[in-house]
Amino acid sequence: MSGPDKPKVIGEEWSDERVRSFLDIRPWDAAENADYNALLKAYQAMRAEDFERFIGFFVAEGRDLNATGPDGETILDLIARHRRSVDYARALEKAGARKTTAAGN
């Protein structure tokens, strides 16, 4: 059988519970920063509006918006290079995230 069992749903509304579930995501590699990993997975899976809600929950839990990945960059460093991710970057900056000097800033 090829393809998924269910067709992809675009524009689906995400409940707060579903958005919050990304707070529980942990990396496969214990050496990887769990906060960076959760931010990355949320960015990859969510629409900008849902990602902004996730950031609110993330910060409320005392998690680190400026956690770095294996390359020493923050999630904002990564997102800032993606030209279609302006709304994601804006949500991070509004919540207090910043770029690292490692990213040339």
Side-chain angles (χ1 to χ4, degrees):
M1 177 189 334
S2 66
D5 291 342
K6 295 180 357 182
K8 185 174 183 178
V9 177
I10 306 292
E12 174 186 7
E13 289 296 322
W14 282 36
S15 68
D16 283 350
E17 181 179 314
R18 185 172 178 193
V19 171
R20 279 189 182 110
S21 73
F22 278 72
L23 293 170
D24 299 327
I25 290 178
R26 298 290 180 247
W28 288 101
D29 181 355
E32 187 176 346
N33 185 298
D35 287 345
Y36 179 86
N37 184 312
L39 289 164
L40 177 63
K41 298 303 181 190
Y43 166 63
Q44 292 171 334
M46 295 178 189
R47 298 173 306 161
E49 306 84 46
D50 299 319
F51 184 73
E52 186 168 11
R53 287 177 31 228
F54 172 77
I55 293 301
F57 299 138
F58 189 86
V59 170
E61 293 243 330
R63 308 274 297 264
D64 184 8
L65 283 177
N66 296 303
T68 56
D71 57 3
E73 292 185 330
T74 66
I75 196 69
L76 183 55
D77 294 327
L78 173 72
I79 290 172
R81 291 193 302 267
H82 301 164
R83 62 186 168 98
R84 293 188 179 180
S85 296
V86 172
D87 292 336
Y88 294 86
R90 191 174 298 127
L92 284 163
E93 289 168 340
K94 190 166 97 176
R98 60 189 184 276
K99 296 178 186 175
T100 65
T101 55
N105 298 330

